[in-house]
Every structure is written in structure tokens, then in C-alpha cells.
Amino acid sequence: MVTIKDVAKHAGVALSTASYALSGSDKVSPKTRELVLQAAKELNYQKNGFAMDLKRKSTKTILLILSDLSGPYYSELIRGTQEVTLSNGFDLIACSSVGGADSTAYKFLQERRVDGAIVLDPNISEHLLRESAREGCPIVVMDRYVEGDFIMNVAADNVQGGYEATRYLMEKGHRDIAWIGGPSNSLGSQHRKEGYLKALQEEGIANTKWMLVGNFTEEGGYHSTKVLLMQEERPTAIFYGNDEMAIGGYKALREFGLSVPGDVSIVGFDDIQVAEYLSPPLTTVRQPKYEMGTMAAHLVFQAMGGEYVNKSYKLKIELIERLSCQPPRLAPNRGKGMET
Amino acid sequence: MVTIKDVAKHAGVALSTASYALSGSDKVSPKTRELVLQAAKELNYQKNGFAMDLKRKSTKTILLILSDLSGPYYSELIRGTQEVTLSNGFDLIACSSVGGADSTAYKFLQERRVDGAIVLDPNISEHLLRESAREGCPIVVMDRYVEGDFIMNVAADNVQGGYEATRYLMEKGHRDIAWIGGPSNSLGSQHRKEGYLKALQEEGIANTKWMLVGNFTEEGGYHSTKVLLMQEERPTAIFYGNDEMAIGGYKALREFGLSVPGDVSIVGFDDIQVAEYLSPPLTTVRQPKYEMGTMAAHLVFQAMGGEYVNKSYKLKIELIERLSCQPPRLAPNRGKGMET
DNA sequence: GAAATTTATCGAAACGTTTCGATTTGTTTT
DNA sequence: AAAACAAATCGAAACGTTTCGATAAATTTC
């Protein structure tokens, strides 16, 4: 492999001079710079990035950890982090935690291969995060809450989102509103439910029988909805913990001969790409993904620069009104069986 | 920062012994190993990955270059590469070419930070590819064709795909089939068109007026379709260079009061996730993305191992039949204006 | 034109590992 | 108990850079 040493020799100059020339320092005279550059070109010299990082003690790259590199979920968020990272002159690489303890994520975090990280992944252990976060490598964790030095949190305000979606339905006249949530280890899902319950309580509604869990998949939403519909009393609206499950819900409702929004109103959560193409287009809640992305990246850089930053940020959420909701046709269940 | 030197000192042992102990060599006695491990834990030692790579002259990671980290397009493909990479004990990181010559992609390729690369990105220059590909870093380029040492190509057989989609329409009775393609710098789009023309020619059909270009976006498909529909004579079917454009086409057709597939049949290309949720669900052509991904990764490893491999691979494509096509209602245009 | 000053080049140390060959320690054989 | 051998530990070189302080060359000043 051709190294800077070879280039120097070929240009008839000292190794250090070659280094200066290649990095564009003005300590070197124009003609020798030309000489060195020429030699580098002739030998097809490619610098070894590690050696540089090793000496410089900085990598100028930040790592984005996703639970699944192939997930479509992150799109806007990634765009946000990427823009900020780039405009700070840093590089962004992404990897996943697939493979557990010998996943790429672990390796890069543990072996100090990056100067900062943004984690969008429930699988990375808090222990690893705390162990890896340090002065030279601040970490922003999204959609979960972990405490520690040089660890910051960014999340959408899921409580507010759940609350607003539920209020929206109530303002349309619904009182019998079911909740089909995500897995219980999802903090986001928990918070959405919290907001949902809060809205209900404010109106003195106590729902006990229409709360189910899916697993954030279309399949899960489908099954849970079927279970829900087989009960004696049916809600007039269903609030799903995410859009995928709402899609499953559409299917189940169709099978039961129920129309959306005629017979039951639906609201989802996330505003994934397909949401607007469903029939009817799905009313849902949108997280400010792009803003979350830029915020996360900014935090990393601020923490890197030693600036004092808050540990935890929550971003506001927005309701996207489409056509899957309307006032309840009639309210056969109202007031009946709703009090515990 | 705590280094292996500190660990060694703290354990009262030579630096080299500490290294052996930490890397689990059996040259070291059980008790000293324990001693060293203990010391490492106490000091919260984290190895420096670069230093290791530098010495070992290998990084054990391969790079996936995407034109846009946030695109949903690649999902299955990424999954394929990831699985193979992981099962070979390597790591996979992804980055994008956003930022041009000082993008992350350039930096990682040029600075030899990886042992192999898979490129899914029209923006990476052939020059850079040829410069960076070498014995220790084979490169697989997807959906385009570039020649060079240690460079291999993997693509779907777009010609075949274009051909089969067109034949499918012809077998339903269509003869007036329009083509709305992607940008002309897309090799894939060119090939699809080639297949389309081949199918037409076999039946002696020479289409000259119904060939337009979009830019692979919904917007582009919408506009091109409008242009198409404003012509005097209209086709009975439209074949789009990708699904996004077909979605735009749906919209334009609706605005013109034309129904799909009643008035005009549509076939897309790619089978993106939303395709099956459109109304009507879109008949389209699916590339074997997962297989393309695994194949690309396997090629990298084979080339790395010095195995001889072919330079270029094409994978078969599959038609996904949904509900956006039916025989033409009547054939007012048939035979008229079709001969040049 | 010699002294002083600037500019250009150089040599060597350092970054944190791995790994080779040498040395020391411990165990077996005679 | 000395000789022979194996096992454990050590010291030092190497990987390819950057960068500091020292030297050499070119330029200015008097």
C-alpha cells in the first residue's frame, strides 16, 4: 500500500513536508507542494483515515443508530440530522443494532470510533450508553428516557399527542373511544395512552373495557380490533397507538361490515407515508420528525463544544386531519356501561 | 483517556500482556487475565478501534452508500446486505453522498476506512470508484454499470421487466401503450424503456407519440400524464418508469374524469410499499431487492477472498398483478395513427 | 557583504494498538 | 539436583499519520 512515506520519497522531500503539502498548509512553498501533489497523483496515494484520526484524536463523524437500517420510519428525522451534521463539517454514518452485543452499533460505540451518537433504538442498553457517553462523545437518545453524563434526550410530546387526538374525537361528539396501544415496553406508546386517559378523565369518562394492546404491526392491529369488535358493546371511535395498527384496524372493520368513518371513527399515530393514500385517508398525529432530527444533531454539537444544555427536550405534536373521523351516527352506548 | 497502557500499569503487568489478556489469547495465564480484565473494568477502559485497525490493516467493516440515507426505497435490499455482512462477521455502516466531494461517502472511500463497499447511488463518480476499489476493498455497484478492477455490478434485469410489463398489457389486448419514463441519466429507466420498445416491435407496433419523461417523482408523473392526456389521441394503457410516477398518473387521470382501469390501464415499476394500498391497487413490477442485496454482499466477500467472480450480474424480475389493468373497453385508436 | 530575520524543510516523537522474538519463570525429566 | 523443556511474561518495533522544535536556505536589513 502506498503511504505518505512513499509519496515523500518519490517527490524527493521529507515525510513531514509531504504531510504539510497534502494537508494544504502554507508552510510549504508552492513549487514543492506541486511536486508532492504530483507524486501523490502518480502513485495514486490515498490517505489512511485511521492513522489520521489516531493522531488527531478526533474522528469528525457522528453515528446514527437505528434499530433497523431498512425501516422507512425515520426518513425525515434522518434528513434533519444529516443536514445539521454536514453543515457542521462532520460526517454522519448509520448503523443498526442487529446482532446484539456484537452488532455494529456496539462496536462503534465501544471502540470510540465516533465523536458523538444519536440513538433511535430501544435495543441499545442503558449500560452501554452510559459507558460510552463521555466528553468526546455525547449521545442523544430519542424516544426514550435515559439519564447519565453526556446523555441527552429528545422526544415528541406523546402525552400531548394522545391528549389532542382524544380531544379531537370528543369534540366531534365521541365518548366511547377505544385505545389500541403498542407494546408495553414502548415509552412512546405509554405516553400516548397517558394523554388519552387524561382527556377522558377530564370529561369524567372512565373507560375500562376498551383498552387493548397490539404490537405496533398491521397484523397486531387487525387482531386486536377483531377482539374489540367481538365484544357486546362497541365504541364509536378507535384511537390506535400507531398507523400500522390502524391499517390492520381498517381491514378488521371492513370484515365486520363496518364503515369508516360512518360506523366508527379512526385516528392513528405517526402519519406514515401510506396514511394519506388509505381509503378513507387516515386522520392521524404527526411527530415533528425533521425538527427532532435537527434538534438532536444540534444538541450533540453543543455538548461537544462544552456548552451547557438541558438534558431533556420534548417537541410539540400536530394533528393531521383527514377523512377517517366524523361525529358518531347515533350514540347507543352513551352513558351505559361507561362508569366503573 | 484511559489506554491499554494504563490498564497494564494498574494491573502491574506489561503492556503486551495486557493486550493478550484483553483479546482473549491463551498465551496468558488465567489469573493474570482476570487481573487485567478487572483493571480494565475498574478504569472503564474502552479500546481505541482505529489504533487496532491501523495495526491489523483491516477494518472488518463494509460501507453501504446510498444517494439518500432517508429514502424508503432500499428497505429489503439493505436487509439482504446486512444479513450477509453480519453472518460473515463484518460490520455494515451506511452513509450518503449528500455533500458531493466532501460527503461522507467520499471521505470513507478515499481514506480507506472500509474493507469493501456497496454502492446504490448514481452520484458517486466512476473516477472515485475506480480510484478506491482495490485488493483490500472491492466494490459492488448496483443499478448501473461501471467497469474496473475490483469493481462488480449487480442489477435487476430491467429490460426483461419492461418487456414483461408491456407484454402483459398487450396480452390483455392493449396496443396503444404509452411510456412515461424516468430521467435519461437513469440506466434502469433506459433499460425498462428498451424492454418496452422490444415488446412493441415484436408485434409490429411503432409508438412515436406516447413517450414522455418524468423525473421519477409523483409530481413528474402527474405533469407528464396531463401532457399525455391533452393530446388528441389517447392511449388505452400507460406504463410508468416507476411507481411514484404512476401515483401522480392516478391523480391526473382522476382530474380528467378517467377511471383506472376502466378507461385506461396502468402498470408501474418497483412495487413500493404504498402500491398495494392505492385504489385500485397498482399492478407493477418487483425487483428482487432482497436477493440483490445478498448477492452484492456475497460478491464483496468473494472478491475479498481473492475468488474469481464474474464482473456483472443481472437478476430476474417479477410482475405483481393487482387491479389496475383490464382489457381496453373499446379500441377507438387501434390501427389509426399507429404506423409511422 | 556580514548580520539579522524570515521562510522552507527536516527529523523525531507521539497517537494506541498488535505481535514477534527474547527472556524469565515454572514444570517435568533424568 | 541439574538439565531440558514448556508456559508465561516482557520489551520493542511497527502501523501511517500529524506536529513540534530544530536546522537549513533564502531573503532582507544595515
Side-chain angles (χ1 to χ4, degrees), chain A residues 1 46-47 49-50 53 59 70 75 82 91-94 96 104 107 111-113 131 218 274 277, chain B residues 1 46-47 49-50 53 59 70 75 82 91-94 96 104 107 111-113 131 218 274 277:
Chain A
M1 221 53 289
Q46 299 184 266
K47 93 153 51 168
F50 306 133
D53 288 348
T59 69
S70 51
S75 191
Q82 183 154 265
D91 289 292
L92 182 72
I93 59 178
S96 87
T104 307
K107 167 165 153 184
E111 299 183 354
R112 304 125 130 268
R113 289 169 182 273
E131 192 177 82
E218 185 176 330
V274 295
Y277 295 108
Chain B
M1 223 51 289
Q46 299 183 265
K47 93 154 49 170
F50 306 133
D53 288 348
T59 68
S70 52
S75 192
Q82 184 154 263
D91 289 292
L92 182 71
I93 60 178
S96 87
T104 307
K107 167 164 153 185
E111 299 183 354
R112 303 125 131 269
R113 289 169 184 275
E131 192 177 82
E218 185 176 330
V274 296
Y277 294 108

Side-chain angles (χ1 to χ4, degrees), chain A residues 29-316:
Chain A
S29 80
K31 58 191 168 222
T32 45
R33 163 175 306 129
E34 211 38 63
L35 211 61
V36 172
L37 259 36
Q38 180 59 30
K41 180 155 288 173
E42 275 174 28
L43 299 178
N44 188 28
Y45 166 71
Q46 299 184 266
K47 93 153 51 168
N48 182 319
F50 306 133
M52 185 182 85
D53 288 348
L54 181 58
K55 192 78 233 294
R56 288 233 175 107
K57 289 161 161 283
S58 111
T59 69
K60 287 218 144 212
T61 103
I62 95 148
L63 179 68
L64 181 61
I65 303 183
L66 308 172
S67 47
D68 179 5
L69 255 187
S70 51
Y73 168 86
Y74 315 103
S75 191
E76 284 299 286
L77 200 151
I78 296 177
R79 201 166 59 79
T81 62
Q82 183 154 265
E83 282 176 15
V84 174
T85 308
L86 225 65
S87 73
N88 277 66
F90 273 59
D91 289 292
L92 182 72
I93 59 178
C95 75
S96 87
S97 65
V98 176
D102 34 46
S103 66
T104 307
Y106 271 68
K107 167 165 153 184
F108 273 68
L109 234 35
Q110 279 183 322
E111 299 183 354
R112 304 125 130 268
R113 289 169 182 273
V114 289
D115 289 349
I118 296 173
V119 178
L120 222 101
D121 188 334
N123 304 314
I124 300 293
S125 79
E126 298 203 5
H127 177 250
L128 175 64
L129 290 172
R130 272 191 278 267
E131 192 177 82
S132 310
R134 47 174 221 282
E135 167 105 47
C137 181
I139 299 183
V140 171
V141 184
M142 309 197 75
D143 281 340
R144 47 193 279 213
Y145 186 74
V146 5
E147 287 187 78
D149 289 347
F150 303 104
I151 298 183
M152 293 152 292
N153 300 270
V154 169
D157 192 338
N158 284 290
V159 177
Q160 177 226 347
Y163 178 79
E164 290 200 0
T166 312
R167 275 230 60 89
Y168 172 79
L169 286 167
M170 296 195 312
E171 272 156 22
K172 283 223 182 297
H174 293 276
R175 290 181 60 84
D176 303 345
I177 303 169
W179 160 256
I180 296 188
S184 52
N185 67 4
S186 158
L187 190 62
S189 180
Q190 260 174 254
H191 284 163
R192 289 161 203 180
K193 182 176 174 184
E194 209 172 286
Y196 157 81
L197 289 173
K198 182 173 155 223
L200 251 44
Q201 269 157 18
E202 281 183 4
E203 295 287 327
I205 306 173
N207 169 7
T208 51
K209 54 174 171 294
W210 293 321
M211 300 195 349
L212 299 172
V213 297
N215 56 355
F216 271 167
T217 66
E218 185 176 330
E219 194 66 11
Y222 172 75
H223 287 299
S224 298
T225 307
K226 270 171 74 166
V227 169
L228 182 71
L229 295 176
M230 285 186 300
Q231 296 187 17
E232 201 178 330
E233 292 172 311
R234 289 176 182 165
T236 62
I238 309 175
F239 176 25
Y240 288 89
N242 76 351
D243 289 347
E244 262 99 340
M245 293 199 300
I247 292 175
Y250 270 36
K251 190 170 155 215
L253 287 160
R254 215 161 26 238
E255 288 182 12
F256 273 74
L258 296 170
S259 85
V260 179
D263 295 310
V264 10
S265 291
I266 300 278
V267 358
F269 208 106
D270 274 353
D271 192 32
I272 60 176
Q273 204 202 350
V274 295
E276 63 171 314
Y277 295 108
L278 298 173
S279 62
L282 180 66
T283 292
T284 186
V285 171
R286 177 188 293 161
Q287 306 187 41
K289 298 235 185 82
Y290 175 78
E291 288 78 7
M292 288 168 73
T294 54
M295 161 135 263
H298 274 129
L299 283 175
V300 168
F301 288 114
Q302 283 172 13
M304 226 184 302
E307 265 179 73
Y308 175 78
V309 289
N310 280 327
K311 287 295 202 168
S312 183
Y313 295 84
K314 278 210 185 328
L315 275 70
K316 287 289 166 228

Side-chain angles (χ1 to χ4, degrees), chain B residues 127-141:
Chain B
H127 177 249
L128 175 64
L129 291 172
R130 271 191 278 268
E131 192 177 82
S132 310
R134 47 173 221 283
E135 168 105 45
C137 181
I139 299 182
V140 171
V141 184

